[in-house]
Amino acid sequence: MQLPQSQSQVAKPAWGMRVGWLLLALVATLYCVWRFAGPSPLQTNLLALLPATEADPVAEKAVDTLATALGDRTVFLVTSNDAAHAKAAAKQLGATLSASGAFGSVTAELPPFDVSKIAGLYMPYRFGLLVPADRTALADGTVSLHDTLARRLYSPLHSGLATQLADDPFGWLEHWLAGLPLATSNLEVEDGLLVAHRGNATSVLVMATLPGSAYESKVQHAVHEAVAHGESTLKQSFPDVTLARTGAVFYAEAARAASEREVHLIGIASLCGIALLMLWVFRSPRLILLGFVSTALGIVCALAATMLIFGKLHLLTLVFGASLIGEAVDYSIQYFVVYLGAGRDWDAKRGARTVRPALTVALTTSLLGYAILTWVPFPALKQIACFAIVGICTAFASVLWLLPALLIRAPKRSPQRVFDGAARLLGVWRAVIGGRRAWGVAALLLIVAVPGWLRLTSDDDIHLLIQRDPVLMAQEQKVRDAVGFDNTSQFFVVRGETPEIVLERAEALGAKLDGLTGAARLSSWQSITSFVPSAKRQDEDHTLLSQRVFNDPSALRATLIQAGFRDEIADAWLAAYAKSDRAVLSVDSWLAAPWSQPFRHLWLGRVDVASTSGGYAAVVIPQGVTPANQPVLISTGHALPGITFVDKAASVSTLFGAYRIDSGIWLAGALLLVLLLMMARYRPLGGVVVTLPVLLAVGVTLAVFGYAGVPLNLFNWLALMLVLGVGANYAVFLREGAARADADLGAVWTGVLLSAATTLLSFGLLAMSAMPALRSFGATLALGIAVSVLLAPIGMPSERRRAA
Amino acid sequence: MGTLNWRNVVAALFIALSAPSFAAQPASASDTGLVSQIATHLAQAKGVRAQFTQTQTLSAMKQPLVSTGSLVFFRERGVIWQIDTPYKATYVITDTGVSEVNANGQRTNSKSSDGVRGVAQVSRMMRAMLGGDLSALYAQFDVHADGTPAQWRMQLTPNQPQLAQSIKGLEMSGGDYLQALRITLANGDVTRIDFANSAAVSELPTADRTLFGAP
């Protein structure tokens, strides 16, 4: 007998091969286990998905600084129509959260703050600090000193930060302090709590800091538990109280939980579906197991390689990775079809040789699709591409080299009835669309598709990539409304060689912004210069005071005395001016004051030293940015030296748009490349008919989106690239199958349908993802692949058998 | 000096006109009753016109500063605080902001000099109180009242440390209308405002409507 001998020949290298793969699997698995056992390798910071959009690294740094300064604030808003309930509930929440240990610190009741500390910082510099109105009044001399004094003494209106008459008889410092953008106008301190009143509702703010990064899963978990507990106890004691929260930690936690759910759903549903499909067709648990071994190897190696290369794993990659199961299993399915078709003549190595050309062409086209993803400058897409490339390469290699080592024994039976059924189906279907009719089918599809293409619209919104939990978004809006701040995503970066130049440029910008009128008007803007004017400005104000007020000390003294000031008060004030010696407030002194902490993000400080445009930078944040005034803001920034307008969301959208258009061109190029590849392998005409199904699939998919009114985004176009890579496989499998001398076309068609079904299942599940980018991927892939497989018989050679 | 002078105005306005419905917690039940009776009584008018004499006793000044003028409060619009002596000036306080009208009738927006924050707070407190919500008052002060609705006295002491840093207390007395208001600041400065010739106003004269910016 020949059989035992051939088996023993196979056996030796087979064991080596098995051990080699086992080692690979062990290493990859252990690495993954080690990574997941330690600090979570999942990147839950949604902003990390964004590409670097700013040409200027300082602008990019400013985006990060602001995101950190504002994103790490965890704020709770306790609201009730009963003020006493809201306050008591806020205190209770503060105590519960504090006791949970999940937070670094929790502030419900404010520590007593001496407001005179703020006036204290400015007091020594008061002879160089003027608000614009006082500056104008002094400069044009329309208001006499006598009238200024009268107004100061008798006006019914004073601001919250009052100064002593003796220090500030004319009220200039008081006006300066009133102009400080210290708190948003909606908040007041009551019972030591920060309170906002809106209508009948009273809202109380509770602030908390995190003990670690908002993107650590341990921190997220602890915060989640603590807040859930706090909320439930709040519900028990105060049923009328509502709780809103905001902070990066909540978004990150929600995103992680959502994607973990999706990974489980897609993973388990794919596995079960694939197992059932394979069981139905192959009726062999062993084959299913082997298929999963090959797939699991692909996924584990992909996971390990991606974590090794990128360090952290994006949630997008994780979810996409789960859907790769359906594609990775295709290679083993093709192998099993050959195996079952071979029956008793099975030789594992020959089987591998038989299936190799088809798998190689299929792998090449798939790799081409994913390789294009790596060119797009989006971190998540690079990861997805890396994950997929490693995954399918491993699956491919395991089919060619591991499966032959495991699948030595010939099949006991083959599902001939299924194959025969499939062969009949293929025969009928080919008669409908194959051969010469193919051109008619193509023409018909094109005619139907063209109106759909004309209806295509596009969407480049940043939310494609960053989808925030809508419940949390609504809560954040509640907090923002109560607190009274809006924009933080659009701002100006002001740069200069020295801090002084930065301040002067920021002041020039502020003057321009104040000058905007009509639709371009801003509600306000935040700038370091509201706290620290440039030395030049302070000097000018000082000069103004010395020329207009202190030029005649005796007359000034007389004015004060006449208004009723005591002699010693007037003398002390005049002496204070003489002693002030043109003292200039510096940014560093302001930064050193403890109360400046909430505003320090306005000063970026020393930035890139080597750069030509200057070593220091600050940000100016406009409030009330609308589509109407945005173009004016951009041109205002352009018109001044050292100033850039940064709008991360708009930059990302622009980038989406640019790459969406580019990706159309790339798709055309990729199609051409695939066509040339096919023509090289199957001769010109054969190449055209093999490429035709996937070409039509791309066209039909686009038309469906047009008819359905779904706007196309970058991710649809990138997915079409994958449709090209994956969809081309089916025609290739069929063509190669038909080219094999001993092929059972029914078996080949069964394999193609099964491959397509598993891929469709996985990508179809991906189309239900909550992440818009993945949803676009899934929907496009599922649709494109469905059409490609249906049209795949077009690509079969016209004669049933050709010389191999 | 007059740290929170605007609060005086607001407090006076509240006493003069706030609606009666409230359920806050003052010092005692009898005080609650009296305060609400006073409020009910005073809230009957749509508006009030009065003359005032303000006397400020300030440590930096040799003698008390006295100013006189008139006050119009109209529930739906806001307040006109008109100073006649020692200089002429008119301040118009509405929901949208505060403006100063000088002796020549020129309107100058005082938003920039007094700060948006103070103005927003004034208008918000006013709106709350005029809507019958006394919680803003009780949130800031402990209230003691004695007398009868026909002749009453109220003592307001800040219960908030932040406010207590600048203000020691408010004293009010009146009958049908608020008659006197005395503010003692933490630094010892005292402001006293006496109201005279108070009368209910149901229609605003054209001049005042113009000041309020009404059509």
Side-chain angles (χ1 to χ4, degrees), chain B residues 128-181:
Chain B
M129 290 174 175
L130 301 181
D133 177 16
L134 299 193
S135 62
L137 178 81
Y138 286 120
Q140 301 285 353
F141 298 99
D142 289 332
V143 182
H144 293 267
D146 55 63
T148 64
Q151 188 57 51
W152 50 266
R153 247 167 53 86
M154 272 204 264
Q155 173 80 42
L156 279 68
T157 316
N159 56 20
Q160 302 291 313
Q162 211 77 46
L163 184 56
Q165 279 178 18
S166 50
I167 198 162
K168 201 184 265 172
L170 294 177
E171 254 178 75
M172 282 179 269
S173 60
D176 287 347
Y177 300 100
L178 178 67
Q179 286 160 359
L181 170 66

Side-chain angles (χ1 to χ4, degrees), chain A residues 138-391:
Chain A
L138 283 169
D140 62 17
T142 49
V143 184
S144 71
L145 288 179
H146 173 270
D147 288 354
T148 310
L149 264 187
R151 197 154 288 131
R152 162 77 157 152
L153 294 172
Y154 298 103
S155 157
L157 287 164
H158 286 268
S159 75
L161 280 169
T163 52
Q164 297 295 322
L165 264 185
D167 297 324
D168 185 29
F170 289 90
W172 294 315
L173 179 61
E174 186 170 304
H175 297 166
W176 169 260
L177 295 174
L180 293 177
L182 284 177
T184 57
S185 55
N186 295 356
L187 293 174
E188 289 166 80
V189 179
E190 285 178 17
D191 295 325
L193 299 163
L194 271 177
V195 175
H197 294 282
R198 281 162 58 81
N200 289 329
T202 299
S203 300
V204 185
L205 232 58
V206 178
M207 288 156 295
T209 61
L210 301 173
S213 161
Y215 309 113
E216 285 278 346
S217 58
K218 263 187 212 157
V219 173
Q220 290 170 9
H221 186 73
V223 165
H224 182 77
E225 295 287 305
V227 172
H229 178 238
E231 196 168 16
S232 68
T233 50
L234 217 55
K235 271 273 164 292
Q236 278 164 17
S237 28
F238 302 99
D240 58 322
V241 162
T242 58
L243 180 67
R245 78 208 70 178
T246 190
V249 67
F250 301 116
Y251 286 111
E253 204 269 337
R256 186 179 54 81
S259 36
E260 281 175 359
R261 265 198 311 277
E262 286 184 2
V263 167
H264 292 149
L265 176 76
I266 294 174
I268 292 169
S270 295
L271 287 178
C272 293
I274 291 166
L276 285 174
L277 274 169
M278 285 173 73
L279 195 65
W280 176 55
V281 175
F282 295 145
R283 296 168 198 263
S284 159
R286 194 161 63 111
L287 291 188
I288 297 173
L289 192 70
L290 288 176
F292 282 155
V293 164
S294 154
T295 310
L297 275 168
I299 301 288
V300 168
C301 289
L303 201 57
T306 310
M307 284 195 287
L308 198 64
I309 294 170
F310 292 91
K312 285 235 161 194
L313 204 60
H314 282 300
L315 297 175
L316 277 176
T317 316
L318 196 67
V319 176
F320 184 85
S323 72
L324 198 68
I325 296 171
E327 197 184 340
V329 79
D330 286 4
Y331 300 109
S332 16
I333 289 175
Q334 293 310 309
Y335 188 68
F336 298 149
V337 165
V338 173
Y339 169 73
L340 291 172
R344 297 204 167 274
D345 308 331
W346 174 246
D347 175 340
K349 287 207 155 176
R350 206 173 61 214
R353 268 201 306 280
T354 313
V355 83
R356 187 185 298 155
L359 293 196
T360 309
V361 177
L363 179 74
T364 311
T365 55
S366 293
L367 286 183
L368 180 71
Y370 285 112
I372 290 172
L373 286 194
T374 62
W375 294 350
V376 190
F378 294 92
L381 292 181
K382 282 193 199 302
Q383 270 202 9
I384 285 179
C386 166
F387 190 99
I389 287 172
V390 175

